[in-house]
């Protein structure tokens, strides 16, 4: 009986603690985004991913054509494909959209108290040191992804897919036709 009362009291205490947690404020999330220089970190990461994506498209074109070397015309089409993918990535990764999404997600998963504690850390010498090292860490991650052949893209936009198919068809049409 005593254990039931203890367990019930413990459950009520845990429930009441979470009920008093303050929801994260958008201004605090924004402050954390600013403090961690998230926009620059995302931009640097995207810039580091571009050569990986470009190389993937080049390799896909070579595989599609079954060639080790591409003609100047084929390389021009590959360049268009690379530019198209980069434009698509930039549209999908518009900072304003990412920022709005981050605010919503942070508010969903963190309390105001958690974000305040995180801000306090990032404002400390250790937190600042971590943020200074983060671009190097991300660059190292990208190099490892590239060396492992990772594919970071998953295009979902139908217009993007349509344009990429057209360019692949155009690329295929550059192959010399066997004479009969």
């Amino acid at each position: 009986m005593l254990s039931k009362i203890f367990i019930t009291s413990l459950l009520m205490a845990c429930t009441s603690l979470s009920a008093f947690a303050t929801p994260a404020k958008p201004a605090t999330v924004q402050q954390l985004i600013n403090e961690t220089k998230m926009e620059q970190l995302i931009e640097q990461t995207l810039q580091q991913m571009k050569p990986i994506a470009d190389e993937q498209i080049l390799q896909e074109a070579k595989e599609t054509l079954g060639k080790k070397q591409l003609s100047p015309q084929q390389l021009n089409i590959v360049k268009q494909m690379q530019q198209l993918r980069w434009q698509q990535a930039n549209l999908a990764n518009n900072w304003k959209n990412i920022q709005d999404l981050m605010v919503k997600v942070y508010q969903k998963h963190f309390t105001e108290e958690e974000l305040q504690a995180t801000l306090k850390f990032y404002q400390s010498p250790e937190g600042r040191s971590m943020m200074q090292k983060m671009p190097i860490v991300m660059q190292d991650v990208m190099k490892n992804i590239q060396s492992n052949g990772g594919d970071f893209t998953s295009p979902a936009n139908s217009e993007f897919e349509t344009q990429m198919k057209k360019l692949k068809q155009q690329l295929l049409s550059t192959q010399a036709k066997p004479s009969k």
Side-chain angles (χ1 to χ4, degrees):
M1 177 70 171
L2 188 56
S3 64
K4 286 183 182 180
I5 293 173
F6 176 73
I7 291 172
T8 304
S9 297
L10 185 60
L11 286 173
M12 288 176 60
C14 289
T15 305
S16 64
L17 284 176
S18 64
F20 290 118
T22 308
K25 298 175 187 170
T28 306
V29 176
Q30 188 58 54
Q31 187 179 358
L32 182 62
I33 289 170
N34 294 341
E35 189 69 37
T36 58
K37 298 177 176 58
M38 191 60 67
E39 182 176 8
Q40 290 132 332
L41 185 61
I42 289 172
E43 182 59 34
Q44 286 173 341
T45 303
L46 288 173
Q47 289 297 326
Q48 291 167 358
M49 293 168 79
K50 187 178 185 317
I52 298 168
D54 287 351
E55 182 61 27
Q56 285 177 330
I57 290 172
L58 177 61
Q59 293 307 315
E60 287 173 17
K62 287 178 178 180
E63 287 174 22
T64 299
L65 296 171
K67 293 184 171 186
K68 290 184 179 186
Q69 295 293 324
L70 301 182
S71 70
Q73 181 185 13
Q74 292 165 333
L75 286 172
N76 185 41
I77 295 168
V78 167
K79 185 172 180 136
Q80 291 176 50
M81 294 168 77
Q82 291 167 334
Q83 289 171 342
L84 179 62
R85 175 153 297 159
W86 188 242
Q87 288 170 352
Q88 180 66 22
N90 283 334
L91 287 174
N93 296 306
N94 171 291
W95 173 243
K96 179 66 177 142
N97 294 340
I98 292 171
Q99 190 175 15
D100 292 345
L101 177 66
M102 287 179 70
V103 169
K104 290 176 188 171
V105 171
Y106 275 53
Q107 284 186 288
K108 178 180 175 183
H109 294 285
F110 298 108
T111 66
E112 179 67 18
E113 294 79 10
E114 290 168 329
L115 292 182
Q116 289 294 338
T118 304
L119 270 169
K120 186 175 178 180
F121 168 73
Y122 281 124
Q123 292 167 343
S124 73
E126 296 82 3
R128 291 195 191 283
S129 174
M130 186 174 172
M131 288 313 303
Q132 286 174 344
K133 294 174 185 175
M134 196 55 68
I136 297 165
V137 169
M138 292 307 295
Q139 185 175 21
D140 197 12
V141 168
M142 289 299 119
K143 284 179 185 174
N144 281 291
I145 288 172
Q146 184 177 20
S147 67
N148 293 329
D151 182 5
F152 72 93
T153 59
S154 58
N157 185 303
S158 61
E159 178 64 26
F160 170 79
E161 288 293 330
T162 301
Q163 290 179 6
M164 287 299 277
K165 284 179 184 175
K166 284 179 184 176
L167 288 169
K168 284 180 183 180
Q169 291 289 330
Q170 190 177 350
L171 185 62
L172 285 169
S173 73
T174 64
Q175 284 186 281
K177 308 235 186 313
S179 55
K180 293 183 181 181

